[in-house]
Amino acid sequence: MNKNLAVAAMALAVAAGSLVATPAAAQFAKAEDAIDYRQSAFTVMANHMGRLSAMAKGEKPFDAASAKASAQLIQTMSKLPWEAFTPGSDGGFSNVKGDPWKNADDFKSLQEKLMAETAKLPDAVGSLDGLRKQLGATGSACKACHDKYRAQ
Ligand code: HEC
């Protein structure tokens, strides 16, 4: 590869990198797409919280391997909804209340609290006691935000 080509290839790589960094709003063509995306992420996360909860309550036998798989998914899913809270996406089939956009700092700190708790889940669910404790802490972080920003 000659030198000019190498420089051009690097410039392309940099340009591709900047595409990844486009503002969140640009990732969703319509407000409905953003609402769909975040509700889907919440739905998957809640499903796996439910699986852990069934073990915590003894409705399902404790199984460390599947608890860990759910915990890892919850940790991953807990990072996803936030970029989809694009400004103006509070209409339609959204159940947002209390204006998370006007209270952006508070909304963000509630997200961070959740992600801090879900980050502890994969290690915590190695035992039933650990699962119960960290599931409770995680559930409280869900509730703290829902009380303020999710219409029931
Ligand atoms: C920082 C705030 C926040 C946190 C933390 C949070 N949620 Fe939510 N959640 C919301 C908001 C806001 C909505 C409403 C979104 C909408 O309808 O546009 C919502 C909606 C949902 C929905 C309904 C999805 C649908 O299909 O309508 C479920 C289920 C849900 N959350 C589960 C959870 C679970 C489980 C956790 C914790 C593991 C959690 N959420 C943590 C803010 C939060």
Side-chain angles (χ1 to χ4, degrees):
M1 198 189 281
N2 78 31
K3 202 173 162 216
N4 284 341
L5 264 180
V7 170
M10 262 176 67
L12 267 180
V14 170
S18 70
L19 269 184
V20 174
T22 24
Q27 312 290 351
F28 304 102
K30 305 191 292 299
E32 289 74 26
D33 296 347
I35 300 168
D36 230 0
Y37 182 98
R38 68 197 187 215
Q39 288 185 345
S40 303
F42 283 128
T43 300
V44 172
M45 184 163 63
N47 179 286
H48 286 274
M49 287 289 285
R51 296 184 199 194
L52 294 184
S53 169
M55 290 185 208
K57 292 182 196 152
E59 293 165 5
K60 290 263 167 64
F62 172 66
D63 171 350
S66 73
K68 179 144 187 160
S70 282
Q72 285 170 334
L73 270 168
I74 293 163
Q75 184 186 4
T76 299
M77 298 315 287
S78 72
K79 299 173 188 166
L80 300 186
W82 321 124
E83 68 161 343
F85 281 90
T86 53
S89 61
D90 55 345
F93 51 94
S94 170
N95 295 310
V96 164
K97 74 168 184 191
D99 206 335
W101 295 278
K102 213 185 254 170
N103 302 294
D105 288 348
D106 184 45
F107 192 54
K108 189 157 183 35
S109 80
L110 290 162
Q111 297 165 19
E112 280 163 0
K113 173 72 176 148
L114 175 70
M115 290 186 279
E117 296 301 348
T118 62
K120 297 180 202 157
L121 261 183
D123 283 342
V125 300
S127 72
L128 185 54
D129 273 355
L131 182 155
R132 286 195 175 119
K133 189 163 163 274
Q134 196 51 32
L135 183 68
T138 305
S140 299
C142 309
K143 186 174 184 304
C145 188
H146 288 168
D147 286 350
K148 283 183 169 172
Y149 298 112
R150 179 190 172 188
Q152 292 311 307

